[in-house]
Amino acid sequence: MARKNSTTQRRFSLASKTGGSSESIFSIGSCSKLDQFGSASSLPKLETETDGDGINVVVRVRPMNTKELEAKNQNVVKFPGSGQILLEGLNTFSSENGPKSKLFSFNVVFEPKASQNDVFNYSGIKKLVSMAVEGFNTTCFCYGQTGSGKTHTLTGPPGMFVRKKMDPFSPDHGLVYRSFLHLFQQLRDRTDVHFVLKASFLEIYNEKVIDLLNPGNRTSLSVRWSKKTRSFFVENLFTVDCEQLDDLQAVLEEGMKNRSVGSHNLNDCSGRSHTILTVHITSEQQMSDSSDVFITKQGKINFVDLAGSEMSKKTKSSGKTLTEANNINKSLMVLGYCISSLSDPKKRTGHIPYRDSKLTKLLADSLAGSGVTLMIACISPASSNVCETLNTLRYAARAKKIRTKPIIVMDPRETLIVSLKREIEALQKENEHLRTALNMNNCLVGNAKKSSETYGKLTTLKPVNVEKLSQMSPIELVDLIKHYAADNEALRKENFDLFHSRDLLMRDHQIVCHENERLIKKLENQRSGSSAKLYKYLIENAPQA
């Protein structure tokens, strides 16, 4: 996925719901970035490995709520367009000599009037789903202060999961349910591939990993390191086989009902934990109609709803809620430090403290590994939250600088099969090219028997002047091609023998080196033993003073 240098500016205008006027509700920065993430209809051809790319970062600004309007808060967020966002009123909490405003630039900026469907269509989540189907590890996570609209963006308003049955046609559905619909549409279009879906749902509450699909057991699960996949995983996490859309919907409903929530001064329904909903997509495809070899790919998409950062003075938290807030802020602080280190070229190659929290362990591959990540930064436009809004935009700007290198997750043996298959195809094309050349000239030989009696066969290969090839007779060309083909085969056999001989020599060399090391060690032991005996003899037979 090559990145274009030019950043063409585009703005979208949609009609307002309440009237017929056309208003800009979101702005897009780099067109090349949107082309990569915004549309599933123009997907590039996905190879086993893609070029390195940065984390895609979009910003969503929620409308001011009733409390902020009653307190007569000012709107400190402006939208210059082209994916830019201007934050004003910084002098209200900083020194008078500091800047009064700050400009940020992102891939997409959604204004307060943007709907859930707008966020789904233009945030890049469609491309994430498509890449997960192809075998990539993808992640979508929301970041921001408490009450900024993270859960609303991902799953919709909390009331949707209180009802006995969720309305599948509600316009309030978030990215998760809409992604499920898009996922099954993708699977229906791929009739040549067999897919198996599995889903899991967990929360990190007070630094404890809890399975949300197993509400009867609230014990903490262990996060361990896998040497095989080179990543962290949750041990004994319950996964559900999902054959239909209703199965994924049931996973979403069950997990949201079991999630830890609370209430404080800034949010009546505040998530008190980080949640991670993971959909594993296993695809099995036959390499060719005449082949019995099937290639399996392991893709997945993570939906991460981070608990919001909190200031106890504003939330007026106490007791259990205060303890939860402290743990949330601690894990977010570690996440922020990881983002800062990864965005700095000097610190990127050093130690990254993923192991300092369970959240960063599980997000390590998404932040700087082999996955594709979409970050949605949610902010409030109210002047009373300008400090938290500035921190969120700073973290989002740093995350945009992080580089990842996405790869398709395959079994090593199947990767070897694919590489050998490509090599065989290249040799087959070379073989077909030679056969075609021989057959074409053999047809000319049948009409040129007299010429063959005149010229005979070439028994030795002589240097040929390229300019005189057009003057050569058909039989001469045929013999020349045959001679080259025979030399080609002989060289292949000779190369094989040479490689085999080289391997034998290297093996013999290793054996000799090991034997030399053993003899040197034995000689050193004998020398040390002789020195000790001589020293002992001298001590025993030394003349007495």
Side-chain angles (χ1 to χ4, degrees), residues 54-113:
I55 292 180
N56 188 39
V57 180
V58 303
V59 176
R60 187 179 192 185
V61 185
R62 67 161 174 82
M64 285 198 287
N65 56 34
T66 305
K67 292 182 180 180
E68 293 167 345
L69 293 174
E70 291 177 353
K72 297 182 180 181
N73 279 283
Q74 299 296 321
N75 192 335
V76 295
V77 177
K78 305 298 179 183
F79 307 97
S82 304
Q84 294 181 333
I85 186 169
L86 180 65
L87 184 61
E88 299 178 338
L90 301 182
N91 55 338
T92 58
F93 69 92
S94 61
S95 61
E96 296 181 358
N97 296 329
K100 296 182 179 180
S101 62
K102 190 170 180 60
L103 184 66
F104 295 90
S105 180
F106 300 100
N107 300 115
V108 184
V109 174
F110 294 96
E111 300 181 15
K113 291 185 179 180

Side-chain angles (χ1 to χ4, degrees), residues 377-392:
C378 299
I379 61 174
S380 165
S383 56
S384 59
N385 298 321
V386 64
C387 181
E388 293 88 344
T389 299
L390 178 62
N391 290 333
T392 300

Side-chain angles (χ1 to χ4, degrees), residues 211-250:
D211 193 347
L212 293 178
L213 300 183
N214 190 11
N217 184 10
R218 298 283 295 182
T219 57
S220 177
L221 302 179
S222 300
V223 179
R224 302 193 182 279
W225 173 259
S226 172
K227 293 183 179 179
K228 182 178 181 181
T229 61
R230 304 294 298 175
S231 61
F232 292 97
F233 72 99
V234 180
E235 192 176 31
N236 298 325
L237 182 64
F238 187 67
T239 58
V240 179
D241 293 331
C242 300
E243 298 180 357
Q244 300 177 354
L245 177 62
D246 293 340
D247 299 331
L248 282 178
Q249 180 179 331

Side-chain angles (χ1 to χ4, degrees), residues 95 202 217 355 538:
S95 61
L202 63 87
N217 184 10
R355 296 180 179 270
L538 293 174

Side-chain angles (χ1 to χ4, degrees), residues 341-349:
S341 300
L342 292 169
S343 61
D344 189 349
K346 297 180 180 179
K347 299 180 180 179
R348 190 179 303 166
T349 56

Side-chain angles (χ1 to χ4, degrees), residues 70-284:
E70 291 177 353
K72 297 182 180 181
N73 279 283
Q74 299 296 321
N75 192 335
V76 295
V77 177
K78 305 298 179 183
F79 307 97
S82 304
Q84 294 181 333
I85 186 169
L86 180 65
L87 184 61
E88 299 178 338
L90 301 182
N91 55 338
T92 58
F93 69 92
S94 61
S95 61
E96 296 181 358
N97 296 329
K100 296 182 179 180
S101 62
K102 190 170 180 60
L103 184 66
F104 295 90
S105 180
F106 300 100
N107 300 115
V108 184
V109 174
F110 294 96
E111 300 181 15
K113 291 185 179 180
S115 65
Q116 297 280 68
N117 192 49
D118 296 331
V119 178
F120 173 70
N121 286 326
Y122 301 105
S123 63
I125 191 66
K126 287 184 178 180
K127 180 63 182 295
L128 247 64
V129 174
S130 301
M131 294 188 75
V133 172
E134 293 293 337
F136 289 94
N137 288 342
T138 63
T139 300
C140 170
F141 73 95
C142 289
Y143 183 90
Q145 74 169 118
T146 181
S148 59
K150 300 182 299 299
T151 303
H152 180 88
T153 300
L154 270 184
T155 58
M160 297 186 65
F161 304 99
V162 178
R163 311 184 190 100
K164 292 183 179 180
K165 188 174 182 181
M166 185 176 64
D167 182 11
F169 303 103
S170 174
D172 294 330
H173 278 299
L175 292 179
V176 176
Y177 183 76
R178 296 174 186 270
S179 298
F180 289 167
L181 296 175
H182 185 68
L183 171 61
F184 273 89
Q185 181 63 43
Q186 293 275 310
L187 301 187
R188 282 193 293 267
D189 295 340
R190 299 288 300 275
T191 57
D192 58 328
V193 185
H194 175 68
F195 292 94
V196 177
L197 301 184
K198 293 185 178 182
S200 62
F201 207 164
L202 63 87
E203 72 172 354
I204 303 176
Y205 176 72
N206 288 338
E207 275 303 296
K208 296 180 180 179
V209 179
I210 298 174
D211 193 347
L212 293 178
L213 300 183
N214 190 11
N217 184 10
R218 298 283 295 182
T219 57
S220 177
L221 302 179
S222 300
V223 179
R224 302 193 182 279
W225 173 259
S226 172
K227 293 183 179 179
K228 182 178 181 181
T229 61
R230 304 294 298 175
S231 61
F232 292 97
F233 72 99
V234 180
E235 192 176 31
N236 298 325
L237 182 64
F238 187 67
T239 58
V240 179
D241 293 331
C242 300
E243 298 180 357
Q244 300 177 354
L245 177 62
D246 293 340
D247 299 331
L248 282 178
Q249 180 179 331
V251 169
L252 176 61
E253 291 181 6
E254 182 69 16
M256 293 302 295
K257 290 177 182 177
N258 297 327
R259 182 186 182 182
S260 300
V261 295
S263 177
H264 52 67
N265 192 43
L266 292 183
N267 194 353
D268 294 333
C269 189
S270 173
R272 313 310 296 163
S273 63
H274 311 296
T275 62
I276 302 178
L277 191 159
T278 304
V279 180
H280 300 270
I281 306 172
T282 303
S283 61
E284 188 178 72

